[in-house]
Amino acid sequence: MGILLLLTAVIFEIAFAIYCIATKQNHKKLKNWIRIAVFIVFAILTVSSVIVWSFSWVMLAILLFLLAVYGTVSLILKKKNIKQYKTSTIVWKSIMMILIFVFVLSPVIIFPQYQSPKVTGEYEVATATDTFIDKSRIEDFSDKGDNRIVNVEFWYPKNTDGTYPLLVFSHGAYGIKTSNSSTYTELASHGYIVVSIDHPYHSFYTRSEDGIVTMISPDFKNEVENTNKGLYSNEERYNIIQKWMKLRTDDMNFVIDTILTKAKSDNDPIYQHINTEKIGVFGHSMGGAASVLLGRERDDVSAVVNIDAPFFSELIYNKADDNFMASSKAYTTPLFNIYSDDVWRQLNRTPVYVANKLNNKQFEGAYTTHFKGAKHLSLTDLPLFSPILANILQGGKADIDKYYCIETENELILKFFDFELKGIGHFAPKETY
């Protein structure tokens, strides 16, 4: 929609400029009527939901409104065209308007309106946010001595009875808690309570209930970038990874423990509808790695989904040969791995994926699926929310259809949790989708 509108604006400005040049007139009155008409059409398209209103349309709406007001005032005052016609002026104004339209339409192009992935469950889904304060931890990323805060969002069945399994999600590096909203919605529609965590200073940004916004830590961002560039020694890399995992799992443990406590004492319907005996964890990228670790450490976690992540928790640094090796301890929690091409091709050749190898006997019972043609961010909602940003961040466009990818992923995750937490059906995913 954004690109179509921009092309329309560019074609109009060029065509109108050519018309003015050919007739050697400014045609100010005609342009004022066109400005008014364009705003009316925009308003009609918005009211009729052809244009789905969101923050990305604000700048365009303001521009069209101001142009319409200017045109209306000019027509009412019947301003005469006292400015002498100049070709250079016509060309300059046309160029300026094109640049202005590029600017105001950039949010619409970067964040286009899109059709939400299908939701197949019977329950209507509601959401709620909360901020938990961990009084046992001081925030390491700040020198203020404040306690660590963790912002969360719930997706849950609305106006229902009974209790439902709890699923806890952890986003990837630079991610946000809404990174897989379509997955949470699909799960909640089938009778799950999903809580997604913002890891402050690891997430791109997070907003607490009191309105305080926390942006990603530059130090953390540099660590991730330098690790990906191979600028650290293996020992340094291992220590950094363990630091990341500790922060992530500390947050996840704190959130789970807080929710379990609230389920006993808080009258909020969200907590009262949680089945505390059925808990699953899942995450994307770094969040997936933390989920695998939580599945090993917590006895009350009954199922884990790892979305495109190395098993950081299963790595052992061997100082003698300066390399990584996999843990020899069996992993007993039911595990489902989902891989994109970006990770799949690294399983047998990148040291930090040594524990992910398909022939690792410690993970004999794990399910593993590969989405052929998918890139790392194909397994999140970002390619829907912002295809341009997804392509930039992951180094190109994925070959897989974005709706097929995310809807199939959501279906598989639902079936896995249904099988492991509810005892519903049989789970036998294909090796490749």
Side-chain angles (χ1 to χ4, degrees):
M1 178 68 80
I3 294 176
L4 177 62
L5 290 177
L6 179 59
L7 288 175
T8 302
V10 170
I11 291 171
F12 168 76
E13 289 296 333
I14 293 175
F16 195 83
I18 293 173
Y19 174 61
C20 291
I21 292 170
T23 58
K24 298 187 181 300
Q25 296 182 44
N26 292 322
H27 295 292
K28 188 172 182 179
K29 184 177 181 180
L30 174 60
K31 195 161 191 177
N32 286 333
W33 278 114
I34 291 173
R35 287 167 173 167
I36 296 170
V38 168
F39 178 73
I40 292 173
V41 170
F42 176 80
I44 292 172
L45 291 176
T46 302
V47 171
S48 61
S49 297
V50 174
I51 291 176
V52 180
W53 181 256
S54 67
F55 74 93
S56 57
W57 293 102
V58 171
M59 289 198 298
L60 177 63
I62 292 173
L63 174 64
L64 296 182
F65 175 74
L66 293 177
L67 290 176
V69 170
Y70 176 81
T72 302
V73 172
S74 296
L75 290 171
I76 292 174
L77 297 179
K78 296 181 179 180
K79 285 187 176 181
K80 295 182 178 180
N81 185 15
I82 59 176
K83 291 186 178 179
Q84 186 177 3
Y85 165 81
K86 286 185 179 181
T87 299
S88 59
T89 301
I90 295 296
V91 172
W92 174 248
K93 285 185 176 181
S94 180
I95 293 173
M96 287 301 298
M97 281 307 301
I98 289 174
L99 292 176
I100 290 172
F101 273 109
V102 169
F103 175 72
V104 300
L105 282 168
S106 59
V108 181
I109 294 171
I110 296 173
F111 305 103
Q113 64 186 53
Y114 62 92
Q115 181 180 352
S116 298
K118 62 185 179 183
V119 179
T120 63
E122 63 178 304
Y123 298 111
E124 183 182 353
V125 177
T127 63
T129 58
D130 206 343
T131 296
F132 298 155
I133 301 175
D134 189 349
K135 295 182 179 180
S136 69
R137 286 190 293 163
I138 301 298
E139 182 55 74
D140 292 334
F141 286 96
S142 172
D143 56 4
K144 297 179 180 179
D146 295 333
N147 291 116
R148 173 85 172 166
I149 64 166
V150 181
N151 301 315
V152 300
E153 186 163 359
F154 291 89
W155 283 254
Y156 61 96
K158 186 179 180 180
N159 298 327
T160 59
D161 297 322
T163 58
Y164 307 99
L166 173 68
L167 302 178
V168 181
F169 184 88
S170 174
H171 61 73
Y174 310 171
I176 53 177
K177 64 179 181 288
T178 56
S179 66
N180 286 64
S181 292
S182 70
T183 312
Y184 321 145
T185 304
E186 174 68 357
L187 290 166
S189 77
H190 283 269
Y192 288 92
I193 295 180
V194 183
V195 58
S196 183
I197 300 171
D198 259 343
H199 298 279
Y201 300 99
H202 274 205
S203 59
F204 181 69
Y205 78 94
T206 180
R207 182 188 298 273
S208 60
E209 288 298 282
D210 58 7
I212 296 176
V213 175
T214 303
M215 300 301 295
I216 188 171
S217 162
D219 292 338
F220 170 69
K221 184 172 179 292
N222 289 335
E223 284 179 349
V224 174
E225 291 176 353
N226 291 338
T227 297
N228 291 336
K229 292 175 183 177
L231 299 183
Y232 297 120
S233 68
N234 282 341
E235 185 173 9
E236 290 172 329
R237 190 177 190 182
Y238 177 78
N239 291 331
I240 289 172
I241 287 172
Q242 299 313 309
K243 180 178 67 173
W244 294 341
M245 289 298 96
K246 185 178 188 312
L247 181 138
R248 291 298 185 108
T249 54
D250 282 351
D251 283 351
M252 296 175 77
N253 279 316
F254 167 62
V255 167
I256 293 174
D257 292 341
T258 299
I259 291 174
L260 294 180
T261 299
K262 285 179 174 289
K264 297 176 181 179
S265 58
D266 197 313
N267 292 326
D268 190 309
I270 295 176
Y271 301 112
Q272 293 307 307
H273 286 303
I274 292 175
N275 182 347
T276 58
E277 301 299 318
K278 301 290 185 180
I279 301 175
V281 295
F282 63 133
H284 175 256
S285 195
M286 194 177 293
S291 297
V292 172
L293 176 53
L294 222 65
R296 181 181 283 287
E297 291 184 339
R298 290 189 70 111
D299 294 334
D300 55 359
V301 170
S302 303
V304 179
V305 176
N306 164 39
I307 306 173
D308 230 26
F311 296 161
F312 283 150
S313 62
E314 308 306 306
L315 292 180
I316 296 174
Y317 173 66
N318 189 336
K319 195 165 185 176
D321 59 6
D322 187 34
N323 210 342
F324 299 109
M325 58 185 293
S327 168
S328 60
K329 186 178 179 181
Y331 194 90
T332 57
T333 304
L335 172 66
F336 177 34
N337 299 303
I338 303 174
Y339 294 130
S340 69
D341 282 353
D342 290 341
V343 169
W344 186 258
R345 64 172 64 102
Q346 298 186 68
L347 296 186
N348 292 313
R349 69 184 189 189
T350 305
V352 294
Y353 285 91
V354 63
N356 294 68
K357 288 184 177 182
L358 301 182
N359 61 359
N360 186 345
K361 293 182 179 180
Q362 310 309 325
F363 288 87
E364 281 185 327
Y367 304 95
T368 298
T369 286
H370 166 217
F371 279 79
K372 191 174 182 180
K375 285 185 168 291
H376 189 53
L377 295 174
S378 300
L379 302 175
T380 71
D381 289 345
L382 187 59
L384 306 178
F385 181 68
S386 180
I388 291 177
L389 280 181
N391 294 343
I392 292 172
L393 293 173
Q394 65 191 4
K397 185 178 180 180
D399 294 329
I400 195 171
D401 179 80
K402 56 189 177 183
Y403 281 96
Y404 167 79
C405 184
I406 196 68
E407 288 179 348
T408 304
E409 177 190 8
N410 293 349
E411 179 185 0
L412 290 172
I413 292 174
L414 171 64
K415 287 183 176 179
F416 172 74
F417 282 132
D418 273 352
F419 179 65
E420 297 294 346
L421 299 181
K422 294 183 177 180
I424 297 175
H426 178 68
F427 189 65
K430 295 190 296 186
E431 292 183 1
T432 304
Y433 286 88

